Amino acid sequence: MSEGTPVRGRGQPDAVEPGVASAATAGAGAPASAPPMVKAEQLHKYFGATHVLKGIDLEVKRREVMCVVGPSGSGKSTLLRCINHLEKIDAGRLSVDGELVGYRERSGKLYELREREVAHQRRDIGMVFQRFNLFPHMTAMENVMEAPCRVKKEPKNAVRERAQALLDRVGLGDRGGAYPSQLSGGQQQRVAIARALAMQPKLMLFDEPTSALDPELVGEVLDVMRRLALDGMTMVVVTHEMGFAREVGDSLVFMDDGVVVEAGDPKEVLLRPQHERTKTFLSKVL
């Protein structure tokens, strides 16, 4: 859709209820008046005739770690991709830090932003994918430096210093000169995390960041994510790592067939799920 074309409503109501999937205790340290870091209201997404997201309501508070679990095809990754507008929503509202993502509102209707404006919004949202997506012809250091230098036009010396600090932070301070082919899968994913952090985002999205790793490499990536959580980074994590969700997550959302089936404190949801579909899913993964 271009500027001047309103987002399709597909028959959805104009008024929507506020998001419901959030952790009551998250967001410590944020001003009481601060908006949620992420707010989705009646979010709908179609791929052709397939209705992938069916009215998602959720909120992620500042400094909250929200873990999203569910079977394949439930819409988890699509939800993440909508948050940074890699996928366009078909109905509803989605905001990050109080600002609509991908759209502006005028006379009660939403109009899509130009690609340059969307790219500017994405600078504040880091994303780590299942596959590492590193540039194979660049070293780890160059991969981390690329976006701040090219997108933000920051001076190389300052970016290099920050990139070295980030590589140190993910335990790869001595591998800055290595190319992706010279790194293990876990090391490549840690470089990918450092690369996302180099843009100094306010929000980090993780799309099953350990699913492509050998089992013995999963722990090193989860350790980096644990440290990020302790540092207060707001995170939405699509994961199959239930131990991580239990230990690190402030909230747990179980999705199935494009809807939020159950949400709450991770320990409560994992130990005492209320919905039969949640019970069935957890019985197979715990």
Side-chain angles (χ1 to χ4, degrees), residues 64-69 193 206 208-210 218-230 233 235-252 266-267 270 286:
E64 179 178 353
V65 178
M66 176 178 283
C67 294
V68 183
V69 303
I193 294 173
F206 292 87
E208 298 187 22
T210 61
V218 168
E220 63 190 50
V221 173
L222 294 181
D223 285 343
V224 171
M225 295 170 64
R226 285 187 183 93
R227 291 197 294 272
L228 281 179
L230 289 173
M233 175 62 73
M235 300 159 60
V236 182
V237 185
V238 170
T239 184
H240 293 296
E241 301 294 336
M242 298 300 167
F244 176 87
R246 182 187 299 108
E247 297 163 18
V248 182
D250 296 301
S251 61
L252 181 68
K267 296 181 180 64
L270 293 174
L286 292 178

Side-chain angles (χ1 to χ4, degrees), residues 20-22 56-60 64 66-70 76 79 237 239 251-256 259-266 269 278 281:
V20 295
S22 67
I56 298 293
D57 287 314
L58 61 78
E59 286 187 6
V60 184
E64 179 178 353
M66 176 178 283
C67 294
V68 183
V69 303
K76 308 183 302 295
L79 173 62
V237 185
T239 184
S251 61
L252 181 68
V253 171
F254 171 62
M255 288 182 62
D256 187 37
V259 301
V260 173
V261 176
E262 192 164 340
D265 178 87
V269 174
T278 314
F281 173 78

Side-chain angles (χ1 to χ4, degrees), residues 127-136 143 180 188-189 192 195:
M127 187 159 183
V128 178
F129 299 88
Q130 297 178 34
R131 296 292 175 177
F132 326 121
N133 296 335
L134 299 178
F135 295 115
N143 266 280
Q188 290 185 62
Q189 192 63 297
R195 179 179 62 181

Side-chain angles (χ1 to χ4, degrees), residues 6 25 103 131 159 179 188 216 245 260 263 276:
T25 58
Y103 300 92
R131 296 292 175 177
V159 174
Y179 289 90
Q188 290 185 62
E216 65 268 22
V260 173
E276 285 301 320

Side-chain angles (χ1 to χ4, degrees), residues 154-216:
E154 295 185 52
K156 282 190 175 182
N157 288 342
V159 174
R160 184 178 299 277
E161 184 175 334
R162 185 162 80 242
Q164 183 61 56
L166 287 169
L167 288 173
D168 290 340
R169 187 177 182 182
V170 300
L172 294 171
D174 61 343
R175 302 307 306 275
Y179 289 90
S181 61
Q182 298 170 316
L183 300 172
S184 70
Q187 290 172 329
Q188 290 185 62
Q189 192 63 297
R190 284 186 279 157
V191 172
I193 294 173
R195 179 179 62 181
L197 292 172
M199 290 292 283
Q200 299 176 303
K202 63 179 71 172
L203 168 67
M204 285 286 288
L205 309 176
F206 292 87
D207 188 7
E208 298 187 22
T210 61
S211 65
L213 300 178
D214 292 333
E216 65 268 22

Side-chain angles (χ1 to χ4, degrees), residues 28-160:
S33 60
M37 184 58 73
V38 179
K39 185 171 184 177
E41 302 172 278
Q42 282 298 293
L43 204 65
H44 290 258
K45 174 64 183 176
Y46 292 78
F47 290 114
T50 304
H51 198 176
V52 180
L53 298 180
K54 304 174 181 178
I56 298 293
D57 287 314
L58 61 78
E59 286 187 6
V60 184
K61 294 181 173 61
R62 295 164 190 273
R63 303 173 65 88
E64 179 178 353
V65 178
M66 176 178 283
C67 294
V68 183
V69 303
S72 297
S74 59
K76 308 183 302 295
S77 295
T78 299
L79 173 62
L80 279 197
R81 293 173 67 85
C82 286
I83 291 175
N84 67 359
H85 206 62
L86 288 175
E87 297 291 350
K88 301 174 184 179
I89 64 173
D90 291 302
R93 291 172 181 267
L94 180 60
S95 60
V96 170
D97 198 15
E99 181 180 3
L100 287 171
V101 175
Y103 300 92
R104 67 168 52 90
E105 186 173 7
R106 189 165 64 234
S107 301
K109 295 183 179 181
L110 300 183
Y111 296 85
E112 189 172 353
L113 297 178
R114 296 180 177 88
E115 183 55 38
R116 183 173 61 180
E117 296 171 299
V118 173
H120 188 271
Q121 288 185 327
R122 286 198 191 110
R123 298 194 310 182
D124 292 329
I125 306 173
M127 187 159 183
V128 178
F129 299 88
Q130 297 178 34
R131 296 292 175 177
F132 326 121
N133 296 335
L134 299 178
F135 295 115
H137 62 289
M138 293 183 179
T139 64
M141 175 67 75
E142 290 167 341
N143 266 280
V144 176
M145 292 179 60
E146 176 69 5
C149 290
R150 183 177 295 273
V151 176
K152 287 189 171 181
K153 309 298 182 184
E154 295 185 52
K156 282 190 175 182
N157 288 342
V159 174
R160 184 178 299 277

